[in-house]
Amino acid sequence: MTASARIGVTGLAVMGRNLARNFARNGFTVALHNRTEARTRELMDAFGHEGDFVPAGSARECVAALRRPRCLVVMVKAGEPTDAVLEEFAELLEPGDILVDGGNAHFEDTRRREAALRERGLHFVGTGISGGEEGALLGPSIMPGGSDESWEALGPLLERIAARAPDGAPCTAHIGPDGAGHFVKMVHNGIEYADMQLIAEAYDLLRKVAGRSPAEIAEIFRRWNEGRLDSYLIEITAQVLTHTDAETGRPFLDVVADRAEQKGTGRWTVQTALDLGVPVPGIAEAVFARSVSGHADLRAASRHLAGPAARTLGEGEATAFTDRVEQALYASKIVSYTQGFDEIAAGSEQYGWHIDLGEVAAIWRGGCIIRAAFLDRITRAYAAQPGLPSLLTDEGFAAEIAAAQDDWRAVVATAATQGVPIPGFASALAYYDSLRADRLPAALTQGQRDYFGAHTYRRTDREGVFHTLWGGDGSEVEA
């Protein structure tokens, strides 16, 4: 077989198939491989006219079709299937060739694989891809890790197929070495969890407190999407709210079971944040909210628990409340993104990745699920202050939250008095108040820890680590 293909794709389920088509539509000759050859034939029959494809019946044929340095994108199920495919192709490749994992792998697995393949002279590029099926075909946000050499060869291809930001820039960049790309994609998905939870809470408040119908709420979201909340998730929320179930004629949301599922990346984000010691309570609450929704038996057994009497607002009150919810949603979203970027910064420092946070915000402006207009402002904030300790300390965002906080607090208070659960909004506000507090009650926590476990404490008035002799004369000793 003549080595004519510039890029190969193995694993031709929906995402792999659409990525292969995207490469071909953008002028690259693409080698195609799938464990079951029938799927390769199906792609050729349906989409072979879209570009230059080289179907391969085996891994060996696929490798033979690729030009040096060979670049092969692996799009198979995460875990053991990925390891098996990587081993199969690694045996056939030569030093300098590039293997790309475009699945949702855990970044620690990516680090392990990168180190092992580097020992064999191969470049391994763990690559986060966001945008779903449509993005894979029309242009996703692409977050590759790996070596500088691999980016030099692969970068021009990824830049061609990536989404374009509003200013025309490709939504991809070299994130950093080994697992950096998959780490950033993981945190992207954690922010996505939080964002979706906040939007769901806004809907719940507008329906249960303001008394709005799904169709009316859809119009509210459309209006919000024309302003500072302009984002993909707000846009599709309006469409979901408008949809009517064809079978019953009822609003779509009234026939869907209220149990949200998850695939694990949000949970990984929280687990990793705990390991890094980074507070991401908004993301954690979003993960736990999905977990609570899935405990149908527990929820059913708890329906007898007492709550406040429901009170729907009058029209004037409802209109004012809707405006307050917009303020609360915007402020809470800023907090969620802040927590996500804080985790990326901590991971970058821990693993020596030197991730450019402004560049991350820039490549999320198009293609990905959390793309939003205010990512432009986040990009500019980090460009102006590369060492920005937190998005909340950016002058512009700080001013907006200050302006929103009275309405934000009113929404949280109203939800509490009306018995509407809003863990995302409430957690975001608590995080904001924790950061701005002069003193936190952690001093008492440390006192308790020292009392029962001699865990020691630090003082505000002098250096050192101390322990109080609680069971003796109460004197203090330096530990």
Side-chain angles (χ1 to χ4, degrees):
M1 181 177 290
T2 304
S4 61
R6 186 67 188 85
I7 188 80
V9 178
T10 181
L12 300 176
V14 175
M15 284 292 289
R17 178 187 67 196
N18 282 2
L19 273 178
R21 293 171 61 196
N22 191 349
F23 279 118
R25 287 177 170 193
N26 279 282
F28 299 109
T29 300
V30 185
L32 302 174
H33 173 262
N34 195 74
R35 184 174 57 83
T36 54
E37 198 172 349
R39 186 163 278 174
T40 307
R41 290 195 298 269
E42 289 171 5
L43 190 157
M44 291 300 298
D45 291 343
F47 307 109
H49 62 280
E50 293 185 342
D52 294 328
F53 296 104
V54 182
S58 67
R60 187 172 297 277
E61 287 183 13
C62 182
V63 169
L66 294 169
R67 291 158 39 194
R68 297 291 313 277
R70 303 180 183 94
C71 296
L72 181 69
V73 180
V74 178
M75 297 297 296
V76 300
K77 187 176 180 181
E80 292 182 3
T82 296
D83 284 320
V85 171
L86 290 175
E87 180 59 31
E88 179 181 17
F89 278 93
E91 289 291 328
L92 302 171
L93 296 173
E94 300 176 81
D97 289 343
I98 302 168
L99 279 165
V100 180
D101 178 12
N104 266 340
H106 193 286
F107 77 95
E108 289 286 14
D109 287 336
T110 300
R111 298 186 74 223
R112 167 180 59 80
R113 290 163 180 154
E114 191 277 336
L117 290 169
R118 184 173 4 106
E119 288 292 318
R120 300 165 72 167
L122 301 175
H123 297 286
F124 182 66
V125 183
T127 303
I129 300 175
S130 178
E133 300 173 17
E134 182 177 299
L137 179 62
L138 303 179
S141 175
I142 309 176
M143 296 152 262
S147 65
D148 292 338
E149 294 85 353
S150 64
W151 172 251
E152 185 176 342
L154 189 62
L157 285 76
L158 298 183
E159 288 175 345
R160 188 86 66 84
I161 70 163
R164 290 292 183 272
D167 62 2
C171 291
T172 186
H174 184 211
I175 300 299
D178 57 71
H182 274 144
F183 184 94
V184 166
K185 174 57 163 57
M186 174 191 74
V187 176
H188 165 283
N189 285 23
I191 296 172
E192 178 185 309
Y193 272 57
D195 210 344
M196 293 172 70
Q197 175 64 24
L198 293 170
I199 291 170
E201 290 178 14
Y203 153 77
D204 210 28
L205 288 166
L206 293 176
R207 191 158 192 190
K208 292 177 179 175
V209 178
R212 303 303 190 193
S213 69
E216 290 172 325
I217 300 171
E219 288 304 314
I220 292 169
F221 273 90
R222 288 194 184 98
R223 186 174 71 251
W224 288 352
N225 199 50
E226 295 173 355
R228 61 184 181 174
L229 285 171
D230 176 13
S231 67
Y232 173 72
L233 285 172
I234 295 288
E235 176 188 341
I236 68 169
T237 297
Q239 295 182 31
V240 172
L241 286 163
T242 305
H243 188 60
T244 300
D245 178 55
E247 184 176 339
T248 64
R250 298 170 61 195
F252 173 73
L253 287 185
D254 289 350
V255 301
V256 176
D258 60 338
R259 295 190 294 274
E261 299 178 359
Q262 52 185 307
K263 290 189 174 181
T265 47
R267 184 170 63 249
W268 292 349
T269 304
V270 177
Q271 291 169 338
T272 302
L274 289 170
D275 291 338
L276 292 171
V278 180
V280 293
I283 298 172
E285 289 292 355
V287 174
F288 286 127
R290 293 195 188 190
S291 181
V292 169
S293 78
H295 282 267
D297 293 343
L298 178 60
R299 293 171 61 197
S302 304
R303 294 239 163 81
H304 68 283
L305 297 176
R311 183 181 78 85
T312 300
L313 303 178
E315 184 57 34
E317 290 179 301
T319 299
F321 182 72
T322 297
D323 292 338
R324 286 194 287 273
V325 171
E326 190 271 346
Q327 292 270 38
L329 177 57
Y330 183 71
S332 299
K333 280 167 70 77
I334 292 174
V335 168
S336 295
Y337 279 70
T338 296
Q339 292 172 9
F341 278 96
D342 287 349
E343 182 166 355
I344 293 173
S348 179
E349 181 176 359
Q350 173 71 23
Y351 298 105
W353 287 330
H354 304 291
I355 296 174
D356 185 329
L357 298 181
E359 195 167 54
V360 171
I363 68 172
W364 285 350
R365 292 178 299 161
C368 71
I369 303 302
I370 65 171
R371 59 186 184 266
F374 79 164
L375 280 161
D376 266 325
R377 295 187 50 209
I378 295 176
T379 303
R380 293 196 298 272
Y382 281 116
Q385 299 182 67
L388 190 68
S390 165
L391 283 175
L392 296 182
T393 62
D394 171 74
E395 184 177 340
F397 286 127
E400 286 186 312
I401 289 189
Q405 70 164 318
D406 287 347
D407 288 331
W408 191 10
R409 296 180 192 283
V411 166
V412 172
T414 298
T417 58
Q418 294 272 41
V420 178
I422 52 164
F425 281 8
S427 170
L429 181 58
Y431 177 84
Y432 174 75
D433 282 338
S434 294
L435 292 188
R436 67 175 196 82
D438 289 332
R439 290 276 292 172
L440 292 171
L444 176 58
T445 303
Q446 278 302 95
Q448 293 168 329
R449 293 180 73 245
D450 190 61
Y451 189 102
F452 66 69
H455 291 298
T456 73
Y457 53 86
R458 295 183 183 274
R459 296 178 60 95
T460 61
D461 54 359
R462 61 180 182 269
E463 294 296 321
V465 178
F466 302 91
H467 166 58
T468 293
L469 301 175
W470 299 99
D473 60 7
S475 62
E476 180 180 80
V477 296
E478 191 163 2

